[in-house]
PDB file of all heavy atoms in Angstrom:
ATOM      1  N   GLY P  95     -68.957   0.878  21.977  1.00 98.00           N
ATOM      2  CA  GLY P  95     -69.648   2.025  22.401  1.00 98.00           C
ATOM      3  C   GLY P  95     -68.932   2.681  23.612  1.00 98.00           C
ATOM      4  O   GLY P  95     -67.746   2.495  23.778  1.00 98.00           O
ATOM      5  N   ALA P 239     -62.968  -3.890   7.585  1.00 98.00           N
ATOM      6  CA  ALA P 239     -63.714  -4.020   8.851  1.00 98.00           C
ATOM      7  C   ALA P 239     -65.176  -4.293   8.522  1.00 98.00           C
ATOM      8  O   ALA P 239     -65.734  -3.871   7.522  1.00 98.00           O
ATOM      9  CB  ALA P 239     -63.619  -2.719   9.588  1.00 98.00           C
ATOM     10  N   LYS P 295     -80.515   8.815  15.937  1.00 97.00           N
ATOM     11  CA  LYS P 295     -81.531   9.761  15.289  1.00 97.00           C
ATOM     12  C   LYS P 295     -81.333  11.163  15.859  1.00 97.00           C
ATOM     13  O   LYS P 295     -81.635  12.160  15.223  1.00 97.00           O
ATOM     14  CB  LYS P 295     -82.931   9.238  15.506  1.00 97.00           C
ATOM     15  CG  LYS P 295     -83.163   7.923  14.877  1.00 97.00           C
ATOM     16  CD  LYS P 295     -83.286   8.079  13.413  1.00 97.00           C
ATOM     17  CE  LYS P 295     -83.466   6.739  12.681  1.00 97.00           C
ATOM     18  NZ  LYS P 295     -83.433   6.863  11.315  1.00 97.00           N
ATOM     19  N   TYR P 369     -61.015  12.384  15.113  1.00 98.00           N
ATOM     20  CA  TYR P 369     -60.405  12.109  13.799  1.00 98.00           C
ATOM     21  C   TYR P 369     -59.298  13.190  13.552  1.00 98.00           C
ATOM     22  O   TYR P 369     -58.163  12.865  13.130  1.00 98.00           O
ATOM     23  CB  TYR P 369     -61.391  12.200  12.605  1.00 98.00           C
ATOM     24  CG  TYR P 369     -62.063  10.849  12.360  1.00 98.00           C
ATOM     25  CD1 TYR P 369     -63.431  10.651  12.524  1.00 98.00           C
ATOM     26  CD2 TYR P 369     -61.322   9.727  11.951  1.00 98.00           C
ATOM     27  CE1 TYR P 369     -64.090   9.469  12.272  1.00 98.00           C
ATOM     28  CE2 TYR P 369     -61.993   8.503  11.660  1.00 98.00           C
ATOM     29  CZ  TYR P 369     -63.314   8.349  11.831  1.00 98.00           C
ATOM     30  OH  TYR P 369     -63.900   7.201  11.555  1.00 98.00           O
ATOM     31  N   ARG P 371     -57.570  14.852  15.711  1.00 98.00           N
ATOM     32  CA  ARG P 371     -56.426  14.573  16.551  1.00 98.00           C
ATOM     33  C   ARG P 371     -55.603  13.473  16.062  1.00 98.00           C
ATOM     34  O   ARG P 371     -54.352  13.566  15.969  1.00 98.00           O
ATOM     35  CB  ARG P 371     -56.884  14.271  17.966  1.00 98.00           C
ATOM     36  CG  ARG P 371     -55.878  14.762  19.027  1.00 98.00           C
ATOM     37  CD  ARG P 371     -56.595  14.893  20.363  1.00 98.00           C
ATOM     38  NE  ARG P 371     -57.718  15.744  20.314  1.00 98.00           N
ATOM     39  CZ  ARG P 371     -58.894  15.611  21.003  1.00 98.00           C
ATOM     40  NH1 ARG P 371     -59.068  14.486  21.731  1.00 98.00           N
ATOM     41  NH2 ARG P 371     -59.838  16.499  20.945  1.00 98.00           N
ATOM     42  N   VAL P 459     -36.557  33.692  -6.946  1.00 98.00           N
ATOM     43  CA  VAL P 459     -37.709  33.885  -6.136  1.00 98.00           C
ATOM     44  C   VAL P 459     -37.146  34.020  -4.661  1.00 98.00           C
ATOM     45  O   VAL P 459     -37.698  34.872  -3.883  1.00 98.00           O
ATOM     46  CB  VAL P 459     -38.703  32.662  -6.199  1.00 98.00           C
ATOM     47  CG1 VAL P 459     -39.753  32.643  -5.068  1.00 98.00           C
ATOM     48  CG2 VAL P 459     -39.485  32.708  -7.575  1.00 98.00           C
ATOM     49  N   VAL P 513     -42.451   1.957 -14.436  1.00 98.00           N
ATOM     50  CA  VAL P 513     -43.143   3.252 -14.435  1.00 98.00           C
ATOM     51  C   VAL P 513     -42.941   4.004 -13.121  1.00 98.00           C
ATOM     52  O   VAL P 513     -42.538   5.203 -13.095  1.00 98.00           O
ATOM     53  CB  VAL P 513     -44.654   3.048 -14.745  1.00 98.00           C
ATOM     54  CG1 VAL P 513     -45.325   4.317 -14.619  1.00 98.00           C
ATOM     55  CG2 VAL P 513     -44.814   2.488 -16.112  1.00 98.00           C
ATOM     56  N   LEU P 563     -50.697   0.497  -4.596  1.00 98.00           N
ATOM     57  CA  LEU P 563     -49.421   0.136  -3.983  1.00 98.00           C
ATOM     58  C   LEU P 563     -48.230   0.744  -4.607  1.00 98.00           C
ATOM     59  O   LEU P 563     -47.295   1.218  -3.927  1.00 98.00           O
ATOM     60  CB  LEU P 563     -49.285  -1.427  -3.986  1.00 98.00           C
ATOM     61  CG  LEU P 563     -50.397  -2.155  -3.236  1.00 98.00           C
ATOM     62  CD1 LEU P 563     -50.195  -3.679  -3.437  1.00 98.00           C
ATOM     63  CD2 LEU P 563     -50.386  -1.803  -1.793  1.00 98.00           C
ATOM     64  N   VAL P 573     -41.086  11.363  -0.657  1.00 98.00           N
ATOM     65  CA  VAL P 573     -41.218  12.272   0.441  1.00 98.00           C
ATOM     66  C   VAL P 573     -40.021  11.866   1.438  1.00 98.00           C
ATOM     67  O   VAL P 573     -39.515  12.757   2.105  1.00 98.00           O
ATOM     68  CB  VAL P 573     -42.514  12.254   1.215  1.00 98.00           C
ATOM     69  CG1 VAL P 573     -43.664  12.547   0.251  1.00 98.00           C
ATOM     70  CG2 VAL P 573     -42.796  10.875   1.865  1.00 98.00           C
ATOM     71  N   TYR P 624     -61.804  15.285   8.465  1.00 98.00           N
ATOM     72  CA  TYR P 624     -60.384  15.755   8.210  1.00 98.00           C
ATOM     73  C   TYR P 624     -60.061  17.024   8.907  1.00 98.00           C
ATOM     74  O   TYR P 624     -60.915  17.954   8.885  1.00 98.00           O
ATOM     75  CB  TYR P 624     -60.136  15.816   6.734  1.00 98.00           C
ATOM     76  CG  TYR P 624     -60.510  14.528   6.015  1.00 98.00           C
ATOM     77  CD1 TYR P 624     -61.688  14.397   5.222  1.00 98.00           C
ATOM     78  CD2 TYR P 624     -59.782  13.342   6.216  1.00 98.00           C
ATOM     79  CE1 TYR P 624     -62.002  13.217   4.683  1.00 98.00           C
ATOM     80  CE2 TYR P 624     -60.113  12.132   5.645  1.00 98.00           C
ATOM     81  CZ  TYR P 624     -61.251  12.055   4.805  1.00 98.00           C
ATOM     82  OH  TYR P 624     -61.589  10.914   4.288  1.00 98.00           O
ATOM     83  N   GLU P 672     -56.591  47.505  -1.260  1.00 98.00           N
ATOM     84  CA  GLU P 672     -56.725  46.004  -1.101  1.00 98.00           C
ATOM     85  C   GLU P 672     -55.353  45.462  -0.562  1.00 98.00           C
ATOM     86  O   GLU P 672     -55.344  44.578   0.271  1.00 98.00           O
ATOM     87  CB  GLU P 672     -56.911  45.380  -2.494  1.00 98.00           C
ATOM     88  CG  GLU P 672     -58.416  45.475  -2.937  1.00 98.00           C
ATOM     89  CD  GLU P 672     -58.604  45.113  -4.402  1.00 98.00           C
ATOM     90  OE1 GLU P 672     -57.658  45.221  -5.208  1.00 98.00           O
ATOM     91  OE2 GLU P 672     -59.784  44.784  -4.784  1.00 98.00           O
ATOM     92  N   GLU P 675     -55.396  45.744   3.074  1.00 98.00           N
ATOM     93  CA  GLU P 675     -56.366  44.809   3.675  1.00 98.00           C
ATOM     94  C   GLU P 675     -55.689  43.379   3.715  1.00 98.00           C
ATOM     95  O   GLU P 675     -55.779  42.694   4.741  1.00 98.00           O
ATOM     96  CB  GLU P 675     -57.657  44.784   2.865  1.00 98.00           C
ATOM     97  CG  GLU P 675     -58.727  43.972   3.632  1.00 98.00           C
ATOM     98  CD  GLU P 675     -60.096  44.011   3.032  1.00 98.00           C
ATOM     99  OE1 GLU P 675     -60.362  44.872   2.187  1.00 98.00           O
ATOM    100  OE2 GLU P 675     -60.969  43.174   3.425  1.00 98.00           O
ATOM    101  N   LEU P 727     -77.070  35.240   2.703  1.00 96.00           N
ATOM    102  CA  LEU P 727     -77.943  36.285   2.137  1.00 96.00           C
ATOM    103  C   LEU P 727     -78.473  37.183   3.234  1.00 96.00           C
ATOM    104  O   LEU P 727     -78.719  36.716   4.316  1.00 96.00           O
ATOM    105  CB  LEU P 727     -79.126  35.684   1.373  1.00 96.00           C
ATOM    106  CG  LEU P 727     -78.793  34.876   0.153  1.00 96.00           C
ATOM    107  CD1 LEU P 727     -80.107  34.299  -0.498  1.00 96.00           C
ATOM    108  CD2 LEU P 727     -78.095  35.713  -0.943  1.00 96.00           C
ATOM    109  N   ASN P 731     -84.691  42.759   8.669  1.00 86.00           N
ATOM    110  CA  ASN P 731     -85.566  42.490   9.878  1.00 86.00           C
ATOM    111  C   ASN P 731     -85.680  40.972  10.121  1.00 86.00           C
ATOM    112  O   ASN P 731     -86.690  40.429  10.427  1.00 86.00           O
ATOM    113  CB  ASN P 731     -86.964  43.087   9.704  1.00 86.00           C
ATOM    114  CG  ASN P 731     -86.901  44.624   9.881  1.00 86.00           C
ATOM    115  OD1 ASN P 731     -86.083  45.068  10.671  1.00 86.00           O
ATOM    116  ND2 ASN P 731     -87.805  45.307   9.268  1.00 86.00           N
TER     117      ASN P 731
END
Side-chain angles (χ1 to χ4, degrees):
K295 299 284 178 188
Y369 273 116
R371 209 162 303 143
V459 167
V513 173
L563 296 177
V573 304
Y624 306 106
E672 284 170 335
E675 190 172 347
L727 294 179
N731 283 330

